[in-house]
Amino acid sequence: MLAERLFTERTAFAEAWNFGPADDDARTVRWIVERLVSATPGAGWTCDAAPQPHEASHLKLDSSKARARLDWRPRWQLSTALAKTLEWHAAWRGGKDMRAVTLAQVGEYANWAAEP
């Protein structure tokens, strides 16, 4: 959507954009890290007990501009997006053709909305 608008309307859409999970699918940083670690063999983490910036526990992208100006909505739930991110990184570490992997994932994402 954004690429199309950048092509057709040029500078009117050439600005910063956020695309993230739906508000009801937002999770804490701990939740995300725990899911990523549990899905990655040999991975681990520890939480630093020192004081952290306020955003360290809960990061949330404000996608309201994308919703309002592009009528954009996330097609994947956060858990699916995390799984696809892990899949992409595993392919990269495995020396796969990343152009093909990326195009396949983009196609999968695009086709997701076509399903009822």
Side-chain angles (χ1 to χ4, degrees):
M1 293 173 172
L2 179 57
E4 182 179 340
R5 293 290 182 88
L6 285 167
F7 181 76
T8 60
E9 301 181 41
R10 311 247 182 241
T11 59
F13 287 83
E15 54 195 62
W17 293 86
N18 285 327
F19 299 91
D23 290 342
D24 62 351
D25 200 22
R27 299 291 183 263
T28 64
V29 173
R30 177 182 293 271
W31 186 95
I32 292 170
V33 170
E34 287 174 351
R35 294 317 175 277
L36 293 173
V37 167
S38 70
T40 307
W45 78 291
T46 57
C47 186
D48 185 349
Q52 301 294 321
H54 71 279
E55 68 271 6
S57 67
H58 193 85
L59 298 173
K60 184 176 177 218
L61 290 173
D62 179 0
S63 302
S64 60
K65 181 170 79 170
R67 285 192 306 274
R69 294 184 56 199
L70 298 171
D71 196 29
W72 177 85
R73 302 287 183 276
R75 295 179 179 181
W76 287 342
Q77 290 186 327
L78 179 58
S79 58
T80 302
L82 292 174
K84 294 299 178 182
T85 300
L86 288 170
E87 180 183 287
W88 189 95
H89 280 274
W92 176 72
R93 284 190 310 275
K96 304 286 185 190
D97 176 352
M98 294 314 297
R99 182 177 192 279
V101 170
T102 301
L103 289 175
Q105 283 193 340
V106 168
E108 205 175 334
Y109 183 83
N111 290 331
W112 198 277
E115 297 176 11

